[in-house]
Amino acid sequence: MKAKDKMQIFLGGPDTGKTWRAKYLTLGKNTVWITGVELRSILNDPFLLRNVNENTQYIVFDDVRSGINNLGRMFYSDKLLVHKPYEKSIIIPRPKIIIIADCNAKIFPTDAAFNARFRIIDFNTPKIAALLAKMKEKCTCDYCMKHKPKSQKS
């Protein structure tokens, strides 16, 4: 699997820019967000991906603290089976996947199949932190402008 095709895991502590980076990457794209709270409560729900369709470009799992082994294995194929309540299930090409996880999460399997499919980006490293700070400073999207300190707004 090519590096650009790998699914991404954004790993880091609070306020390290993981969610911001995911929002930046998915800006203007057809994206389905599933929060960690939803994930923990409905991981065994066959309709977990009910909002995903053939036009979905990204699925973002935000604030994942556990269960990534099972979650990750859902995406080992290039195709994705989506069950919809009261509708026929559909098979679609797998959208890009981003998983946002806390650095203390005990979530990573050690098997080669998982590691071949996922790219882990550690947001706690100084290099990534500096890169994100520069990106946030230059960004003029509505989300960034709303969340910038007043001194940085033009």
Side-chain angles (χ1 to χ4, degrees):
M1 185 174 270
K2 295 178 186 175
K4 69 175 187 143
D5 296 332
K6 284 189 174 188
M7 294 166 271
Q8 299 181 60
I9 297 176
F10 293 173
L11 184 65
D15 298 322
T16 52
K18 303 177 303 290
T19 301
W20 179 86
R21 179 64 178 153
K23 287 181 179 182
Y24 182 84
L25 285 173
T26 62
L27 188 66
K29 306 281 192 308
N30 189 340
T31 305
V32 173
W33 284 77
I34 300 175
T35 67
V37 172
E38 291 172 16
L39 184 61
R40 283 187 292 279
S41 63
I42 61 173
L43 191 56
N44 295 320
D45 181 353
F47 305 120
L48 174 67
L49 303 173
R50 69 177 59 81
N51 295 322
V52 174
N53 61 45
E54 56 278 346
N55 298 317
T56 302
Q57 295 170 287
Y58 280 90
I59 303 173
V60 179
F61 295 93
D62 195 4
D63 195 27
V64 176
R65 298 196 176 136
S66 62
I68 206 169
N69 293 359
N70 296 329
L71 179 62
R73 292 183 204 299
M74 288 171 54
F75 305 111
Y76 273 20
S77 171
D78 289 339
K79 301 287 183 188
L80 185 62
L81 176 62
V82 178
H83 300 289
K84 298 189 175 272
Y86 311 109
E87 294 179 31
K88 185 177 179 182
S89 297
I90 58 172
I91 297 175
I92 61 170
R94 179 181 43 80
K96 292 183 179 184
I97 306 294
I98 298 174
I99 298 173
I100 302 170
D102 187 278
C103 59
N104 295 320
K106 296 177 182 171
I107 56 175
F108 300 106
T110 56
D111 63 275
F114 188 89
N115 294 332
R117 289 169 174 83
F118 284 88
R119 179 172 166 229
I120 299 171
I121 301 167
D122 186 351
F123 280 69
N124 292 315
T125 63
K127 184 177 177 181
I128 297 290
L131 178 64
L132 283 173
K134 284 182 184 178
M135 289 175 71
K136 284 181 180 181
E137 190 176 299
K138 292 179 182 178
C139 187
T140 58
C141 74
D142 291 340
Y143 177 80
C144 289
M145 295 307 288
K146 182 178 176 183
H147 292 90
K148 278 184 185 180
K150 288 182 183 178
S151 61
Q152 289 183 5
K153 292 181 183 177
S154 351

